[in-house]
Amino acid sequence: MRPAMQAMHTDIMNRNMSKKPLQSPTARGLAQSALDYSASVAYDRFLYSFDIRASIAHARMLGRQAIIPSADADAIVKGLEEIEHEIESGVFEWREDLEDVHLNIETRLREKIGDAGARLHTARSRNDQIATDMRMFVRIVCGQTVEGLVRLADAIVRLAESNPAVVMPGYTHLQRAQPVLFAHHMLAYVEMVWRDIDRFAACSERADSLPLGSGALAGVPYPIDRESVARELGFSEVSRNSLDAVSDRDFVVDFHAAAATAMMHLSRLAEEIVLWSSEEFGFIRLPDSFATGSSIMPQKRNPDMAELARARTGRTYGNLVAILTSLKALPLSYNRDLQEDKQTLFDSASVLTATLGVFAEMLPKIEVNRKRTEAAAGGTGYSLATDVADYLVGKGVPFRDAHQAVADLVRYAEAAGRPLSGLTLEEYRKFSPEFGDDILMLDVQASLNARDVVGGTAPKRVKAALIEARKRVDALK
Amino acid sequence: MRPAMQAMHTDIMNRNMSKKPLQSPTARGLAQSALDYSASVAYDRFLYSFDIRASIAHARMLGRQAIIPSADADAIVKGLEEIEHEIESGVFEWREDLEDVHLNIETRLREKIGDAGARLHTARSRNDQIATDMRMFVRIVCGQTVEGLVRLADAIVRLAESNPAVVMPGYTHLQRAQPVLFAHHMLAYVEMVWRDIDRFAACSERADSLPLGSGALAGVPYPIDRESVARELGFSEVSRNSLDAVSDRDFVVDFHAAAATAMMHLSRLAEEIVLWSSEEFGFIRLPDSFATGSSIMPQKRNPDMAELARARTGRTYGNLVAILTSLKALPLSYNRDLQEDKQTLFDSASVLTATLGVFAEMLPKIEVNRKRTEAAAGGTGYSLATDVADYLVGKGVPFRDAHQAVADLVRYAEAAGRPLSGLTLEEYRKFSPEFGDDILMLDVQASLNARDVVGGTAPKRVKAALIEARKRVDALK
Amino acid sequence: MRPAMQAMHTDIMNRNMSKKPLQSPTARGLAQSALDYSASVAYDRFLYSFDIRASIAHARMLGRQAIIPSADADAIVKGLEEIEHEIESGVFEWREDLEDVHLNIETRLREKIGDAGARLHTARSRNDQIATDMRMFVRIVCGQTVEGLVRLADAIVRLAESNPAVVMPGYTHLQRAQPVLFAHHMLAYVEMVWRDIDRFAACSERADSLPLGSGALAGVPYPIDRESVARELGFSEVSRNSLDAVSDRDFVVDFHAAAATAMMHLSRLAEEIVLWSSEEFGFIRLPDSFATGSSIMPQKRNPDMAELARARTGRTYGNLVAILTSLKALPLSYNRDLQEDKQTLFDSASVLTATLGVFAEMLPKIEVNRKRTEAAAGGTGYSLATDVADYLVGKGVPFRDAHQAVADLVRYAEAAGRPLSGLTLEEYRKFSPEFGDDILMLDVQASLNARDVVGGTAPKRVKAALIEARKRVDALK
Amino acid sequence: MRPAMQAMHTDIMNRNMSKKPLQSPTARGLAQSALDYSASVAYDRFLYSFDIRASIAHARMLGRQAIIPSADADAIVKGLEEIEHEIESGVFEWREDLEDVHLNIETRLREKIGDAGARLHTARSRNDQIATDMRMFVRIVCGQTVEGLVRLADAIVRLAESNPAVVMPGYTHLQRAQPVLFAHHMLAYVEMVWRDIDRFAACSERADSLPLGSGALAGVPYPIDRESVARELGFSEVSRNSLDAVSDRDFVVDFHAAAATAMMHLSRLAEEIVLWSSEEFGFIRLPDSFATGSSIMPQKRNPDMAELARARTGRTYGNLVAILTSLKALPLSYNRDLQEDKQTLFDSASVLTATLGVFAEMLPKIEVNRKRTEAAAGGTGYSLATDVADYLVGKGVPFRDAHQAVADLVRYAEAAGRPLSGLTLEEYRKFSPEFGDDILMLDVQASLNARDVVGGTAPKRVKAALIEARKRVDALK
């Protein structure tokens, strides 16, 4: 039996990666195990497009500032554009012995354009270079995540729009408490999405500062023009302290915190999908395309997507812990520890993106079983008890006394095995003389209508909220 | 031997808490162990001032809206003000059997003002009430934390201002890399503080939405005026969805994430304080008032404050994990699980506040041992190697070739056991014909001066950054 | 408004703690904020009984070895016994200025017995002393936790014993999958308890090594007899390396990992209690003494204990993260960071103990609604589909083919809106000629009986498993 | 610019994975996004060898028990052996549309041997199958980890053996406290390794129970012989409860907890390697093959391996949090959430294995700079202060009084700028009349020799400990 661990390791390391004797200047002489342990190209190569864009902007600036000959700058730009094409067409040969994405690209550049390529690394270091790549990545991913969140909001709103008048029980403690509109329930999740969007937007803003120009740690001894590089790369400012610029990974932590929170929200929705799909609740029917059956019960609809989303929430929590742990008690400035900012970031970004995609596609296809939700909302007949108490309060009975009277009333009805709606006015009056004829007209719809406050479940409020949400989604799409 | 666990438990439970047979309506009939397990008054009573303020605003609004008689509203307000005074003067009797801060206060109110007190809970529920209290608490704590962060920035800036020209080694991999100004190093931490302030400000803004009026989960059936309550309590908007309003604890997660990040920063500074206080570094001398000695070596200065701050970082990470775990997969709307949002929040807030306070007081009293830092910055004589390479680049040598030449030069000097500054021009020229006389003038000061870019360690840049930081601190104080 | 944070802080610090100008030798001269930040007596005093026992054993040994006069040793022992009595009767005055439990007790000892007291600290240091106290604490708490776990197992077994023949649906994906016995389901949790017990026993064993005698870090220069102290304190061995002995907190991590795992198990049971208590499932009725109602619906039974247990799981996860974070990258040997091992340990121990207690008391009082569980187990009539397939396999049909035939059969029945039990033999035969008369006798009971393998849900297997579990519980009680 | 996220995703999904229209019975009809989200073959295929071994044992048993024809059993075994060969020689075509490792292998089996292959899945389900695979994996990985730990212990012992008499400062609070032997310091880490070994051994034992035979959740309706399968697969017992058997992932949590603890230990050693490699400490010189230089300072030795190990500790903490979070509040029995047990497990196992390997190779090649460590151990001349106090105690002075006298003495010497060794007997006597001539002979060696207790740093004790450790390592190799 071939050891599984080794298989895993080999697989990860060998993913179209060549091994050459020639090595990078820093890695030269490393033991193979040390190179395997420290090389990052297996994952940081996913940053290639950011690395190339940043190098192009850097080279152009060096040319403009006459730090390198402008012909060299032009050759560098052209060479890098070709390399990007090589990578995207799959012909680029990634080499583990060259450690990381930077040296792989720079080495290839020198192969292609010779001496001019040797000037690219003027006035920068891998420390400010990787910080730049990572900030560009985080900003792009924040943008993509916001798009995914908007699609999710759209999907939730569509599901709500398809079921505008469906009533279901509102729960506290997973006990039926008061009837609410299904659309109202869905709009609660839309609120979470708005907050998530806000969080990723803030994360993107905090990453919006260009570290390039900080050199290894102290700034560079060249007359560089950092602002022009920032402009070309879409940063609105340059970092203010070189030591901080190469040591800071707050923007990575911010991303993880936002991702963990967003997945927490999705895990709550996932839990409800699991519950509502159960025979016991029977509130929804998942589309065939987003549920698995058993091999023997093809009619079964296992809520696998929801279960997986719920479980993967754990990964995003763990990744947040990982980066925070790695950064704990790290002295300034650059330490190799910072290399560990990538894999967990890529993982959380992937998990979140994929989950948003699946949910956005799945949700609008869910069928709500109105018969089941409305039967449940009517329920045992006591879900309107608070409305009865509020009726008494409306007649001037102090709140706590009204509650006591209704508590007695409910106990009476329950002992008699009857719903509140089955009681006579005389029976009501035994518990308070304030009850009038109109108490007999109290029903689920009246209960809903009464909650006519901002944020309440009264149908007209929910309708307005739905229109508002739709507007906001459409504005963001 | 008395069991320690029981001692702990008893102590926590008995903190001036009385036990009475009479119990709250919901807790009535609970087993003693169940009451002990679920009662929250031992910790949620710290929210009393928020609870009372919110109740006062609620009662006034109920009066204005004629939902309750205005005389009752007045009596409630007066009664609550008296109760606040009772609590603050220590005469209020907290009762565990009344479960939580809300029922303790409301029960006392009814004792004091009778029937009118029974009207206070009209048009609200404990679910929207506690969400309101918690948001008020988080906003206040964010404000206090920002103040603490400003004091910290002030302290760091003062330490930098006291040592404006001190040179020290800049480190990468904890290896001396290039000389930097001590003030530049300190300003890196100020950058972190600005980001922390931004994070707590954002957290406070996200908590700036009034949940009161959401009732138990669905809104309330009374003509309440939520906006006026929001204004009175300093909220700039009201929540838009009642189910979300009682289920949402994002603002708590945001606080924990910001606190964990801020403590991570402090742990990095703490690590450096520990390193610099060691005999090996000898860069700083802690003040007697913030270091412990050993009983036998009174001259010793153990960096206990830094060590404890470093360790307590773990608590804030753990508390972040705790709240995220508690919220994972929780269906809507209110679940008792949400009660668990408090103790970890109070803990992280306390840890952070205390750490900020101690550091703000300690830092300006630190003495920097300039002789040691400057000797280290000069070091083995090779810390200027990159400057030598940059010199060659300035003469037109491609960056990578310049580096190779200097690498050979350093190897040569090292083999000869001499610093670079000890080499002759002829020796330099062996490695590149581009070296001229001026290479002999390269020294630490020249190296610093050369890093004359935004964010660089050139003295004039650092001076400007220091002035900028001082301005910003003073504007915020 | 009085700031809540300050109130919290003051409260915690002032818990019958006096403030005196005179301070400990190490704390002398500390700023008040520094003392507040570093003093641990507010929580480490809960270790007093361990501290005193260890000091008594140490003093006796010093006397026996003639390191101190035996009269002094006797005086120390007597003095410490009196101090323990003072503490337990509440007259001992804890002083924050004396920092920790050790100095509080030693100072009092010198007040009581003078010079002899000054000899107690011979041949030890606070570093090996606190490591000893902590190990004693962890061992005791492990023991108490095992007792709590045994009581929990007892409670689960009793609940199973009270409902030996109740059938319920077994779930996968929260979908009804195959009928199982309720007792079988409960016994799954008993398996988890056995593993938890094993984990705490292992934790206790790993803590079973005496660090005392390691001194500050290097051992002590006295002819001490470590083995005799170990024997007196119930340790079966002495630590083998002094540096490790004062730096090691693995046994604390082990406790946290075991506690987090046990709470994870309880969170799973809690989740099921919440589900089963819902109107939708309706499988169980919680006792009044372990459920809260609403003020208005006294008949309601909110599963608060289960919800709180589920949420508090987060605290134990967080505490595990906290200790791991604090220990990350800590150089040898003792660092003040290690002081942070206590509060989170006490917290997880309390949470777990309390949860075990509440569940052990609550579970046996749960009433199972057999009508509901059995109706659900019969369910839609397709829960026996796998049994039908297994029937065909028994007739020689390959497993995958049998599954295909039954899948078609189920689809047919579902389209017709009929349960499998409503089909005729002719209908069965349309899908496979292997069906015989006996297929019509397949029912829930037959399905259960068929699972007659070790660990299966066949009633006779479950009965045997229940007897086995009862035996094991009784042997451990 | 090609979006990086998509590149990442595509890369992960496409790793020699074919896409076919034909899909698994359960996945049939799934949306592509749903299949991408739920298919696990990209990572669970690493379990192939366990899956095949378990299937072989299962098939043999089915044959022996006459549940399937023995010719079919033989065909299955032969087919599976061929498939294993196909996989290991790289010709096996993994298909994402077949979801997981099980269906990929079973589908291929049916292609190869037809109908007989359709009988393999008799009397089992994917739920008990994957639980079995995972337990086999964990047990193997525990074994490999223990081997890695033994190699680490060997490496540490070798480093200690090479430097048997080197003295260095022992630290508390990163302050020099008392001299210790370098070998003694190293042996502290060996103690940690023994505990780690114990933890992985316990983890392996807890995984030593065969779930196969539990079916989907309730056991299987066939006369299977579980014990014989257990024997063949090397399990010493079979699971006792089918619901628990398919739901339990405790053994995965155990592995993560043990891995996090082991990495915590390695992070402490890593931190010391980083410190000791700094110019300030200068205690060790890393081998060229395990250190990187800068491109310009080839003589530099950055401790990258130690830094990376320190940072990757975070990943193992995060992975522990991930699995605990995923399991929180999961109802019985199998839920799709359990699929998420793999990636984080594989990750932690890889990180730990690789780190152990690199450290085991690197440590014996470290050169200790004895001149530096011994100069530091002599240090400022006050590191023997506690020895001076112990001297007085030996003369009968009470411990606390002796400490006071020496504190005064140290203060005196420090004020005079002299080491203790530079004082005259008269000067000593000013502080206590008990000082005799022999106090002048106190030196580092005497201090070491005096710590002649079990676990102390006295050279003869360390020598014995080293021999003991060597024996233990050799016995385990």
Side-chain angles (χ1 to χ4, degrees), chain D residues 371-389:
Chain D
K371 247 168 60 186
R372 293 291 297 265
T373 61
E374 301 198 343
T380 58
Y382 307 118
S383 66
L384 300 183
T386 53
D387 292 274
V388 178

Side-chain angles (χ1 to χ4, degrees), chain C residues 65 116 157 165-166 178 216 220 233-234 253-254 281 318 329 333 351 365 367 378 390 392 407 439 448-449 458 469:
Chain C
Q65 299 293 103
V157 171
V166 172
Q178 291 171 1
V220 294
L233 296 177
V253 176
D254 286 340
F281 280 79
S333 61
V351 164
K365 297 187 177 133
E367 287 171 37
D390 288 323
L392 289 178
I439 189 62
L448 290 173
N449 289 336

Side-chain angles (χ1 to χ4, degrees), chain B residues 320-372:
Chain B
L320 172 58
V321 168
I323 186 71
L324 283 170
T325 304
S326 299
L327 292 172
K328 181 225 163 188
L330 215 51
L332 302 186
S333 62
Y334 183 83
N335 298 283
R336 190 73 183 257
D337 308 62
L338 295 175
Q339 176 177 314
E340 276 295 293
D341 58 352
K342 287 172 204 66
Q343 297 189 71
T344 46
L345 174 63
F346 296 168
D347 188 54
S348 281
S350 292
V351 164
L352 181 53
T353 299
T355 308
L356 290 172
V358 164
F359 272 58
E361 206 177 333
M362 172 176 68
L363 289 173
K365 297 188 177 132
I366 285 177
E367 287 171 37
V368 179
N369 188 332
R370 185 174 184 160
K371 249 167 58 184
R372 294 291 297 266

Side-chain angles (χ1 to χ4, degrees), chain A residues 50 53 135-145, chain D residues 1 4:
Chain A
F50 306 109
R53 276 191 63 200
R135 282 174 178 266
M136 293 174 74
F137 175 81
V138 164
R139 294 183 69 207
I140 288 287
V141 171
C142 283
Q144 292 179 351
T145 305
Chain D
M1 186 190 64

Side-chain angles (χ1 to χ4, degrees), chain A residues 133 155 158 173 214 234 280 338:
Chain A
D133 293 1
R158 279 167 63 196
H173 310 270
S214 302
E280 286 72 14
L338 295 175

Side-chain angles (χ1 to χ4, degrees), chain B residues 445-468:
Chain B
Q445 210 57 48
S447 167
L448 289 174
N449 289 337
R451 277 154 180 84
D452 183 19
V453 293
V454 180
T457 196
K460 73 176 190 196
R461 294 285 184 174
V462 175
K463 192 175 173 187
L466 208 43
I467 288 167
E468 194 52 47

Side-chain angles (χ1 to χ4, degrees), chain A residues 37-38 336 339-340, chain D residues 304-313:
Chain A
Y37 195 68
S38 58
R336 191 73 185 259
Q339 176 176 312
E340 276 296 293
Chain D
D304 295 72
M305 304 305 129
E307 294 172 281
L308 286 167
R310 189 171 61 179
R312 285 175 188 164
T313 303

